[in-house]
Structures are given as structure tokens and as C-alpha cells.
Amino acid sequence: TAWFKFGKNGNDAKTAGIYGSQTRDEYDEDDVEQYFNYMGLLAVEGSYDRIEELQEAGIHPTDILLLLASAEGDVPKVEELINAGAKTDVVDNNGKS
């Protein structure tokens, strides 16, 4: 038997801290960079200029992640970020949301 229980006999993934348990302030610049790399955006864009501009503009890491995930059509990540408290009205330096 496993030492942990999921579903009706224990915790769901969120309660267990596996998925969707982060809050807005638990996301940081490292998460932004990791997501940028994971999605292959560095290979496409060739630099970190875009995320650096967003960070310099004072946009919270959670909101930067939301902008990136939305642009990529990453629905599960968008849902995770909204549940974490990302601002759905955030816009980038070009006025795009």
C-alpha cells in the first residue's frame, strides 16, 4: 500500500500540493524563465528581452506567466494561474492581454 491517499480516500491533487496549490505570491522570476524555456520561446525569440521588459515594467511574475500561457494557448496553465490569483486584465508593453 502507498503511504499517501488520493481521491475519495484522501486528498485531491490540489489539496496534496501537487497541482494548482500555489498562490499568486509563490510565483517568481525563476518560474517565468523556466516556463519561457519549457515552451520553447527562447528558441523562437532568441533572447529573454520580452520577459525582461515585462519584469522591468513592474508586472508581477504570475501575470507575466498568464500573458505567456495565454499567447501559447496553454489552457491548463491559464486556469492554474487564474486560480492562483493572476490578474486577468493585465496587458503587456504593447497593450496586448
Side-chain angles (χ1 to χ4, degrees), residues 10 16 19 21 28 35 48 56-57 67-68 70 76-77 81 92-93:
Y19 172 80
S21 63
D28 61 21
Y35 186 78
Y48 291 108
E56 289 169 6
L67 289 169
L68 297 174
S70 296
K77 189 69 172 178
L81 294 164
D92 65 14
N93 296 342

Side-chain angles (χ1 to χ4, degrees), residues 18-87:
I18 297 170
Y19 172 80
S21 63
Q22 283 184 282
T23 63
R24 175 179 180 79
D25 291 327
E26 292 177 294
Y27 290 94
D28 61 21
E29 288 81 10
D30 288 337
D31 295 310
V32 174
E33 182 178 342
Q34 290 171 9
Y35 186 78
F36 193 79
N37 293 336
Y38 172 76
M39 294 303 289
L41 298 172
L42 179 59
V44 172
E45 296 189 18
S47 74
Y48 291 108
D49 291 348
R50 183 165 90 172
I51 60 173
E52 288 171 355
E53 289 172 4
L54 295 169
Q55 289 169 339
E56 289 169 6
I59 300 174
H60 192 279
T62 307
D63 302 330
I64 294 172
L65 285 166
L66 181 61
L67 289 169
L68 297 174
S70 296
E72 292 299 308
D74 187 350
V75 175
K77 189 69 172 178
V78 168
E79 291 172 348
E80 173 189 332
L81 294 164
I82 290 171
N83 287 334
K87 294 181 180 177

